[in-house]
Amino acid sequence: MFRQRQVELAIQIYQLMGITRADKQKGAEWSQRGFRCFDAPAAIILSVDKSLEASSLAAMDIGAIMQTICLAALKHGLGTCIEDQGIMYPEVVRRFTGIPETSLIMICIAIGYPEWDFPQTA
């Protein structure tokens, strides 16, 4: 069910962006933008010590912190995008952030002032 919703949302986003299934170039450009946190001016990367990896409590804590960050950002006029694409290559993230190997990189939050006229923001 999750995968179906994910596909449906992707289709809607591509339609808003004017990207057709046949337009592989625009699709690739959009995908690459996701790896750059959608060109947000900043990103927050949440991680947890690997000793807690097996704990479902760690995942719940990360979820609660993630939600709180997004709500606080909204209160201050900032937009957020929770995404995992920006952390799909943890070795690259570690190289640029200094996050140690003892931490599991969980999720990324792109953050910045929204472009309200951008099709996907609508």
Side-chain angles (χ1 to χ4, degrees), residues 67-105:
Q67 174 183 314
T68 302
I69 290 169
C70 293
L71 290 173
L74 184 62
K75 182 176 182 201
H76 292 282
L78 294 167
T80 58
C81 180
I82 299 167
E83 57 150 336
D84 64 352
Q85 194 173 1
I87 60 164
M88 286 181 148
Y89 297 95
E91 65 281 357
V92 175
V93 174
R94 288 180 200 290
R95 186 175 346 132
F96 288 97
T97 63
I99 296 172
E101 287 290 331
T102 57
S103 292
L104 177 66
I105 299 170

Side-chain angles (χ1 to χ4, degrees), residues 10 13-14 17-39 85 89:
I13 289 170
Y14 271 55
M17 300 298 299
I19 302 172
T20 64
R21 184 174 225 147
D23 193 339
K24 301 298 182 196
Q25 177 66 31
K26 277 189 179 178
E29 288 170 4
W30 180 252
S31 180
Q32 290 171 1
R33 193 171 179 181
F35 285 108
R36 297 188 314 264
C37 298
F38 299 104
D39 298 327
Q85 194 173 1
Y89 297 95

